[in-house]
Amino acid sequence: MNRAFVFRDGYEMIKKIDSIIVGGGDDCPEFAADGILRAIKLSRNFSTLFVFTDADAKDKDKQQEAANAARAKTIPITTFSTGTCSRRRRSVHNTHVNRRETSSFFQRLAKATGGIVYRTTKEKLNGVLNDVIEKTFPVAEVVLDSFEWSLTSNDNTMFVVDSTVTVLKVAVCCSGEDSGVELFYPNGTKETFASRLSQKLVTKRKEVIISLQRPPPGRYKLQRKLPNEWSVNVTAQSPVKLETEILEYTESGALPVLKGSPLAGKNYTFYVNIYNLGENGTCNDLILTDMLGNELFKIHIIQTTTRMAVRCAAIFSTPNEFFQLKLNGTDKNGFEFSRKNSLVFKPTNVKLRIIPPDTAVLGKEVLVYYEVENTGTINETYEVAISDDHSASVLPMRRQHTILAGDRSNGSFTMKPTLTFSILKYAITVYLGSSSEITQRILKTVLVTDIERPVCTVVTVNGSCNNSSLNTAQCHKYQWFAKAEITFKGTELENFTSSVGSATELVYDDISGLRHGPVNISIKGSCCTPSVVLAAVDTEGYIAQCRVEFSGGQIVTPMEFNDLDNSPVATDKSDGSYTVIVIAIVVGVIIVVVLSIIGFIAYRKFKQASYNVNYNVNQNIKEGIDKNQRPNIVEYHPVKLEEVSDEKENL
């Protein structure tokens, strides 16, 4: 027999579900239509009905009745199916049973009411449900404000409701049956809860819940009549929601998103993205509050608008205490709005860096490297731990580091995924000492695959390049040889290359169509290239590299004359080749001297001849003038460029 329950307290509903005991286990099919009809009867108009089942419908003849009842209240019926009777019987009896198409009952019901049928597994149900809820209820619950109403606080407190709020909920904990809490509208009217649009109830844990549907925008007042210390949480259903990200400064000038907790006293850029605020919406200021809701300080913010959201930015130094962010502004209709981020920021004196692996190979160990830095002023002892969602972490899973102030320490953890799944989620957490106080945590994901990307390993090295071989005159006389191994699986190699190209000789087997290793590579060269990087590239662009070094990092230098006596090839100065070089140098010097003397004599004779010619010319001119004769002088007239050109054409 099916039974239906109604709960106004979410906690009570969860407790009821936890207390349900399922008997039998093989009662398939089940009375699905009867349960759906009872739920529709207790539901309000425009509700949404979710059906969870792992069986077929026994009373499928009531499908039309259920569809009519749902349409009458405009209730779409969405079903999450994790199994059928035929599947269950196969798993229990390991025999084949013809599947009866009673699952079409849920399909027809969804089609008639505007719902959907999701077929999934019990392991994946939670993820599917989260996606469906987000799509089905785009109006999310947002936090307008939260604070501790202490005895020293004013008995009247104010909060803002904007024009996008469809449902307002004020939770006061934990005051008791006679709470003495009153709510006043922006116009000063006290809520009496006489309307169906308002409700006030007290839960079993003595929490007062005040709920208003379609509340008018403005400033509301919450009044306390009894001297009690309460916690107040003001939430609402509204499409205007915000997301916060922190950008940290780096030496390169980049602004990456902060992973983990911010450091106390360090400047960060806080970006708040406000969705569905509209083009006319604005963000005015950002308020930092402590965990009691008290304002720490207020910051003016810079606003930019993107196609998706209004983006507000503020730069400030983080306080040395836990804090939350509260944003004030105006909505698209000009009314005040306020949103408080539910995240609690926990500044710390520990900086955590992680070098994550690109991928993890099924059944293979993979290392996760980390570095912990103590940015505080005193020495501290920390414990660093790793955890994951598929038991892939290998012992030890916790390591201790004692770090001096301003110093850092590093280490690594090993993971070995053994289950078939695509994404592995893991976390590196830093604890203060051996306590449970978390000072830093970074969450990461890694892709798990059965493909082993190429890995290069140097196997053997023969030869070396010492100082006497590292010059351009001798390096080619010294040869070296090395072997490397490329391991891979589930992929194909595309090519092999060396960093010095044709200066080395690569020899390896044919890799066409080969999908697993190892592949052996031989490489030969001389000391003219005393180091080389060998690279293997697979067809998807993944690169494996290994470096072969023969000179300890020293490089080849050009050969000069004064280096010849250091050459291992010619070290005996009494050798005939050395004598020939010396004689050649002496002969060269003699030739240069002789040529210089001959040139000087020729120059003196030329000067003397020029003097005699000038003297005779001057003497003739002088004699012509004395005889009243015109001297025999040739006259030159300048000619224009155009005239010269014309003459050439006539010729």
Side-chain angles (χ1 to χ4, degrees):
M1 177 182 176
N2 286 323
R3 296 180 60 189
F5 302 90
V6 176
F7 297 96
R8 299 186 184 276
D9 186 342
Y11 297 102
E12 296 299 322
M13 182 182 70
I14 294 173
K15 285 171 59 178
K16 182 62 179 179
I17 294 175
D18 288 340
S19 67
I20 294 176
I21 299 175
V22 180
D26 199 23
D27 51 339
C28 198
E30 298 173 345
F31 291 100
D34 184 67
I36 292 172
L37 284 168
R38 291 175 183 271
I40 293 173
K41 184 178 180 180
L42 296 174
S43 299
R44 296 178 180 179
N45 293 344
F46 306 103
S47 296
T48 298
L49 182 60
F50 288 158
V51 178
F52 299 88
T53 182
D54 63 351
D56 299 324
K58 187 174 185 178
D59 49 356
K60 60 179 180 177
D61 55 313
K62 293 185 178 181
Q63 182 265 322
Q64 191 60 49
E65 182 183 354
N68 293 339
R71 282 199 298 259
K73 288 189 171 183
T74 318
I75 297 176
I77 300 176
T78 294
T79 300
F80 298 85
S81 176
T82 59
T84 60
C85 293
S86 56
R87 188 187 308 172
R88 186 189 300 179
R89 287 173 182 171
R90 280 199 304 271
S91 62
V92 173
H93 303 292
N94 197 25
T95 57
H96 179 74
V97 178
N98 291 327
R99 177 178 176 181
R100 299 185 301 167
E101 290 300 324
T102 53
S103 62
S104 61
F105 164 84
F106 299 106
Q107 291 281 14
R108 292 194 301 268
L109 204 55
K111 185 176 181 180
T113 61
I116 303 174
V117 174
Y118 293 92
R119 289 190 175 89
T120 182
T121 63
K122 293 179 180 179
E123 292 76 17
K124 297 180 180 179
L125 178 60
N126 189 52
V128 175
L129 182 59
N130 287 337
D131 292 339
V132 172
I133 290 176
E134 186 174 346
K135 294 175 182 177
T136 307
F137 306 107
V139 179
E141 183 174 83
V142 297
V143 180
L144 303 187
D145 204 356
S146 62
F147 54 90
E148 294 296 319
W149 206 349
S150 66
L151 293 175
T152 58
S153 301
N154 195 304
D155 288 335
N156 295 302
T157 184
M158 308 292 292
F159 62 88
V160 172
V161 175
D162 57 87
S163 62
T164 67
V165 172
T166 57
V167 178
L168 174 68
K169 187 178 80 171
V170 180
V172 181
C173 186
C174 290
S175 52
E177 296 289 344
D178 186 12
S179 62
V181 177
E182 303 289 353
L183 180 68
F184 293 85
Y185 284 89
N187 61 6
T189 304
K190 185 174 73 171
E191 174 59 65
T192 60
F193 306 102
S195 169
R196 294 182 60 185
L197 298 178
S198 62
Q199 190 176 28
K200 182 178 181 181
L201 58 92
V202 180
T203 67
K204 287 188 176 181
R205 64 184 193 128
K206 308 303 181 184
E207 182 181 29
V208 176
I209 305 292
I210 297 174
S211 176
L212 302 181
Q213 295 187 44
R214 297 192 294 274
R219 284 182 167 268
Y220 284 70
K221 182 175 72 173
L222 200 62
Q223 187 178 82
R224 176 179 59 182
K225 291 187 176 182
L226 298 177
N228 290 323
E229 193 167 89
W230 296 332
S231 296
V232 180
N233 192 33
V234 184
T235 59
Q237 287 188 2
S238 167
V240 177
K241 59 181 181 178
L242 55 85
E243 292 179 353
T244 304
E245 60 184 3
I246 308 175
L247 307 185
E248 60 177 332
Y249 294 91
T250 60
E251 295 179 357
S252 63
L255 290 174
V257 176
L258 175 68
K259 303 296 184 182
S261 299
L263 298 179
K266 184 178 179 181
N267 283 340
Y268 292 94
T269 298
F270 283 73
Y271 274 108
V272 181
N273 296 315
I274 313 173
Y275 297 96
N276 306 313
L277 185 59
E279 295 181 358
N280 298 326
T282 64
C283 46
N284 300 336
D285 48 51
L286 191 65
I287 300 173
L288 270 72
T289 69
D290 61 17
M291 299 310 297
L292 300 178
N294 301 315
E295 180 178 320
L296 296 175
F297 54 87
K298 184 184 297 184
I299 311 164
H300 180 70
I301 54 183
I302 301 173
Q303 175 178 328
T304 59
T305 303
T306 66
R307 188 179 66 175
M308 298 294 295
V310 174
R311 199 170 203 197
C312 310
I315 301 175
F316 59 87
S317 178
T318 54
N320 194 15
E321 62 178 300
F322 292 5
F323 67 92
Q324 289 181 282
L325 296 179
K326 182 179 177 182
L327 184 71
N328 293 332
T330 57
D331 64 17
K332 60 182 179 180
N333 297 317
F335 291 97
E336 287 183 89
F337 86 87
S338 181
R339 295 290 185 274
K340 191 170 186 178
N341 198 315
S342 59
L343 290 176
V344 176
F345 297 96
K346 303 176 180 180
T348 179
N349 291 320
V350 178
K351 188 167 187 176
L352 175 63
R353 302 178 185 90
I354 293 178
I355 303 178
D358 295 328
T359 58
V361 179
L362 194 64
K364 298 285 186 178
E365 292 187 349
V366 61
L367 292 176
V368 180
Y369 297 94
Y370 66 86
E371 181 184 78
V372 180
E373 181 179 354
N374 180 4
T375 63
T377 57
I378 61 174
N379 303 340
E380 294 283 7
T381 298
Y382 305 104
E383 285 201 1
V384 186
I386 187 172
S387 58
D388 67 89
D389 62 344
H390 282 87
S391 302
S393 301
V394 177
L395 293 174
M397 298 167 57
R398 205 174 180 105
R399 300 185 185 276
Q400 190 175 86
H401 299 265
T402 298
I403 308 176
L404 302 179
D407 206 354
R408 62 188 66 180
S409 181
N410 55 58
S412 65
F413 290 109
T414 303
M415 294 192 301
K416 185 178 180 180
T418 56
L419 301 177
T420 303
F421 48 88
S422 57
I423 298 295
L424 173 64
K425 298 179 181 179
Y426 65 95
I428 304 294
T429 306
V430 181
Y431 298 91
L432 184 60
S434 58
S435 68
S436 60
E437 180 184 344
I438 297 176
T439 60
Q440 195 66 270
R441 170 177 283 180
I442 294 180
L443 304 176
K444 288 288 185 179
T445 59
V446 62
L447 176 66
V448 179
T449 176
D450 57 356
I451 298 176
E452 296 182 33
R453 297 299 174 185
V455 175
C456 181
T457 306
V458 177
V459 179
T460 59
V461 175
N462 292 320
S464 63
C465 298
N466 53 30
N467 290 336
S468 61
S469 66
L470 294 175
N471 61 76
T472 54
Q474 306 296 328
C475 61
H476 65 281
K477 299 178 181 180
Y478 296 85
Q479 304 293 314
W480 53 256
F481 174 80
K483 283 186 177 181
E485 183 181 77
I486 308 297
T487 57
F488 64 98
K489 181 182 177 182
T491 184
E492 295 184 15
L493 298 181
E494 190 170 275
N495 58 49
F496 299 108
T497 60
S498 74
S499 58
V500 292
S502 59
T504 57
E505 179 184 348
L506 289 177
V507 179
Y508 52 88
D509 296 331
D510 182 20
I511 58 175
S512 301
L514 192 64
R515 294 190 61 82
H516 64 85
V519 173
N520 295 315
I521 303 176
S522 299
I523 181 169
K524 294 193 297 183
S526 70
C527 286
C528 295
T529 53
S531 66
V532 61
V533 177
L534 182 65
V537 185
D538 70 9
T539 53
E540 296 181 26
Y542 287 87
I543 303 175
Q545 292 182 330
C546 50
R547 184 182 184 88
V548 188
E549 182 67 59
F550 297 93
S551 65
Q554 299 185 64
I555 61 174
V556 178
T557 58
M559 184 60 143
E560 298 179 359
F561 283 119
N562 56 7
D563 294 329
L564 287 172
D565 58 343
N566 295 325
S567 171
V569 179
T571 57
D572 188 354
K573 295 186 178 181
S574 64
D575 188 79
S577 60
Y578 179 80
T579 305
V580 171
I581 293 173
V582 173
I583 294 174
I585 293 174
V586 173
V587 171
V589 172
I590 295 173
I591 292 173
V592 170
V593 173
V594 172
L595 290 176
S596 299
I597 296 172
I598 295 173
F600 178 77
I601 296 172
Y603 174 76
R604 290 297 302 270
K605 289 184 178 182
F606 173 78
K607 290 288 289 184
Q608 184 64 41
S610 300
Y611 175 80
N612 294 336
V613 170
N614 291 336
Y615 176 81
N616 293 334
V617 171
N618 292 335
Q619 194 66 26
N620 290 336
I621 293 174
K622 182 178 181 182
E623 291 176 358
I625 293 174
D626 293 341
K627 296 179 180 181
N628 295 321
Q629 295 178 354
R630 186 178 181 181
N632 186 19
I633 299 175
V634 179
E635 295 181 357
Y636 294 92
H637 301 280
V639 180
K640 292 183 178 180
L641 185 61
E642 292 82 5
E643 295 175 353
V644 174
S645 180
D646 292 340
E647 290 177 3
K648 289 184 177 180
E649 288 179 359
N650 293 334
L651 291 174

